[in-house]
Amino acid sequence: MNSNKRWKVLLIDDEADIREVVSLTMMDAGYEVITAPDGKTGIDLCKTQRPHIVTTDIRMPDINGIQVLETVKKFDPDIEVIVITAFGEMNLAIKALQLDASDFITKPINDESLHLALNRAKERYLSRKHLKDYTALIEKEKAETTQALIRTLEFRRNLIESSMDGILACDQNGIVVTMNAAMEKLLGFSRTEIVYKRTVDQFFSQREMENFQKKMKENRYGGRNRLFLYETTLIGKDNKKVPVQVSASALFEQGKESGIVCFFRDLREIRRLEREFEDQAKVLHQDKMMSLGRLAASVVHEINNPLAGILNYLRLMIRIVDREKPNPEQLEKFRRYLEVVENETSRCSKIVSGLLTFSRKSPSAFGDVYIEDLLQRSILLSHHKLELSNIELKTDISPNIPVVKGDINQLQQCLINLIFNAVDAMPTGGTLWISANYDPNEKKVIISVKDTGPGIAKENLPHLFEPFFTTKKEGYGVGLGLSTVWGIMERHNGTVKVESQPGYGADFKLILPYSA
Ligand SMILES: Nc1ncnc2c1ncn2[C@@H]1O[C@H](COP(=O)(O)OP(=O)(O)OP(=O)(O)O)[C@@H](O)[C@H]1O
Ligand SMILES: [Mg+2]
């Protein structure tokens, strides 16, 4: 029988005949059989040969079958032991069964009972093995599941622990059951002081807690049983108030509310930045107000002077006219007075229109500006002035200049202001260079107005573009030319720059952006 081939049986019997007969029977049935003539040899063989089944005679000199059974079972409880008893030794048979023998056979051994006993031993062996494998499998799976569970729990714990937001959960009675490190920081309490010891309402004012609970019940604020980004104040250790933004969600177990989990975001840093920002805005506003005040004061001063002159001359003329009809000599005086009045009035008007250009915010008439065209127009308007001052004009306009977007009138105003300043700087003549070129890398058009005048003192450079800054004599300069240029360039997203070394003239550059 092939199915018995893998079964190894150790047969222990001190009677050689029995060994021979029984082993033959077993071998015929396909078992692999080893034999031993006494208990000691049997036990040794058991250890080296590892049989599945041991069949042992009970009555043997020295070590008897019961001892063999005990020793074998101790050594390997999986080995099945069948004891062979003589007729009438039922008590020994029972003892053997109590010691976990799988069966007993009585002498004289007949084949049938031998096979029955062997089959039963095999069954026992196999079912025990199956049970063992099954247990091992379950153990393994259990271990794996436990590991996975531990990993998941650990991961969740880490997730909660490493959150930047404070996380706190409480049960249905409001008792805090867990919280993370960020929450400890927010409250200033360690979790051992809080978890299972305090209720969540201890960290809010009564009013805030009522609000919080009311909002949790409402459908708004993230939906019923939820709260989304609600701003409130936590009360931490030593009554410290901490502004927070809280999102919360009620927890349910089998349809019953079992607690709430809350996420708190610390708003202290945001509030600090807000305050800083507000302070800055305040300072900026103050700055603006101050410069506005300064500007107003200057305007009043600038306009007051000419107005005083105008008023004086007009009053004088009225007084003369009131007294008598003016004679030709007086009329001649009047003409001079009126000239002053005209000059002063146009000065006032210049100040006012200059201020208007300076303060205008939105671009008025933006369109295509051809730089060459712009320069020609500006030169034409200043030609007469240049000739009067004996100034030689040199131009250099590069051919590759693209068309820029802008308000040609305002840009022309810029150029005229620069040219007139240059002319003013060279009252006894000199050279004026007007050039234009394009920087394709920077995508910028650069127009330069350069003179051979005395240049600009270093200490004046930072003030050139301030309104009403002038070094010119009363009646010659208002000090709005360059600030107007600056304002116009701003509106064109451009800049105005100056380079000057005293004694070597000044070079003003208008830099305009080009965008295709
Ligand atoms: N090309 C120049 N060379 C030397 N100094 C100059 C030149 N351009 C301007 N400045 C200096 O900058 C000052 C301010 O110029 P700005 O054009 O703003 O006012 P202004 O010419 O004095 O008066 P306004 O142009 O309003 O009649 C001038 O008073 C002068 O000191
Ligand atoms: Mg000027």
Side-chain angles (χ1 to χ4, degrees), residues 350 416-422 424 469-470 472 476-483 485:
K350 202 174 155 193
I416 299 255
N417 286 2
L418 295 183
I419 295 170
F420 280 14
N421 278 351
D424 287 347
F469 174 81
T470 180
K472 292 171 190 168
Y476 285 87
V478 175
L480 282 175
L482 286 180
S483 53
V485 173

Side-chain angles (χ1 to χ4, degrees), residues 456-505:
I456 298 155
K458 215 169 165 196
E459 65 270 20
N460 288 341
L461 278 175
H463 305 292
L464 287 195
F465 300 99
E466 286 172 12
F468 301 113
F469 174 81
T470 180
T471 58
K472 292 171 190 168
K473 276 199 299 203
E474 275 257 1
Y476 285 87
V478 175
L480 282 175
L482 286 180
S483 53
T484 306
V485 173
W486 187 84
I488 290 173
M489 291 317 285
E490 274 278 285
R491 261 170 266 140
H492 283 76
N493 289 326
T495 45
V496 49
K497 291 211 166 117
V498 57
E499 273 170 40
S500 174
Q501 275 196 353
Y504 293 94

Side-chain angles (χ1 to χ4, degrees), residues 10 21 80 96 122 136 140 144 156 165 168 238 330 437 445 468 504:
L10 167 64
V21 174
E80 292 299 333
K122 282 192 299 186
K140 189 168 159 258
E144 277 170 8
R156 288 197 188 157
D165 286 347
L168 177 148
D238 303 327
Q330 281 168 327
N437 64 297
V445 173
F468 301 113
Y504 293 94

Side-chain angles (χ1 to χ4, degrees), residues 324-378:
E324 62 209 310
K325 200 170 166 233
N327 58 35
E329 200 185 319
Q330 281 168 327
L331 276 177
E332 178 51 29
K333 258 194 199 162
F334 277 22
R335 216 193 58 78
R336 279 210 319 276
Y337 294 166
L338 285 172
E339 228 167 64
V340 176
V341 167
E342 192 204 359
N343 272 339
E344 293 298 86
T345 312
S346 77
R347 190 167 137 79
C348 283
S349 134
K350 202 174 155 193
I351 291 171
V352 171
S353 65
L355 269 175
L356 279 180
T357 336
F358 175 66
S359 65
R360 195 160 36 220
K361 283 281 167 289
S362 53
S364 30
F366 264 46
D368 285 349
V369 176
Y370 294 84
I371 299 298
E372 176 147 17
D373 184 26
L374 169 72
L375 296 189
Q376 293 307 350
R377 278 170 63 165
S378 312

